[in-house]
Amino acid sequence: MARPLRIVHCFRSPVGGIFRHVRDLVAAQRAAGHSVGIICDSSTGGAHEDALFEAIRPQLDLGLVRIPMRRAVTPGDIATLWRAFREIRRIGPDVIHAHGAKGGAYARIIGTMLRLSGRPVARLYCPHGG
């Protein structure tokens, strides 16, 4: 490995298989020496997911950002996209790893915006199935 990477995982719903997959990736990426963060929805999940976040929080060098992300496409997505953009720009990742449809859309748009502003960032998209 040339240098450790700064990796941000972006997905909507922190429940079920996607959340398990992201937690596994965070553990593996941290074990490989990378810094990792998560941006996801704040309106889904419950006490079980909150406990899972608390367990993984020490591994999230780049932090945990939870913002409201609706499942359906709405005009509110513009404000959510802007907020997610500001957070990801602040973090300054080398890689934005997107999961699921909504997380994928946000991450690909944000990655393009960062690239257009001169910040090289890789975008990886895992569509997952629902």
Side-chain angles (χ1 to χ4, degrees), residues 7 14 18 24 28 33 39 45 47 50-51 56 59-60 72 77 81 89 92-93 107 112 115 119 123 127:
I7 304 167
I18 287 178
D24 289 345
I39 293 183
D50 289 344
I56 198 173
Q59 297 179 52
L60 299 175
D77 284 325
L81 179 65
R89 182 181 59 190
T112 298
R115 284 179 170 193
R119 291 186 169 192
R123 298 164 295 175

Side-chain angles (χ1 to χ4, degrees), residues 6-7 21 23 38-39 46 49 98 105 111 113 122:
R6 297 172 61 82
I7 304 167
H21 176 67
R23 292 191 331 267
I38 290 177
I39 293 183
E49 289 75 22
M113 292 167 62

Side-chain angles (χ1 to χ4, degrees), residues 38-55:
I38 290 177
I39 293 183
C40 68
D41 179 40
S42 62
S43 61
T44 54
H48 175 70
E49 289 75 22
D50 289 344
L52 293 173
F53 273 124
E54 288 308 311

Side-chain angles (χ1 to χ4, degrees), residues 32-98:
H34 303 297
S35 297
V36 184
I38 290 177
I39 293 183
C40 68
D41 179 40
S42 62
S43 61
T44 54
H48 175 70
E49 289 75 22
D50 289 344
L52 293 173
F53 273 124
E54 288 308 311
I56 198 173
R57 192 179 296 272
Q59 297 179 52
L60 299 175
D61 298 327
L62 303 180
L64 168 64
V65 177
R66 296 192 68 190
I67 57 179
M69 296 179 182
R70 295 182 57 117
R71 181 177 181 157
V73 176
T74 70
D77 284 325
I78 295 169
T80 302
L81 179 65
W82 182 247
R83 184 169 173 195
F85 170 74
R86 287 193 328 256
E87 292 290 345
I88 290 174
R89 182 181 59 190
R90 176 189 59 78
I91 293 168
D94 300 303
V95 176
I96 304 172
H97 192 164

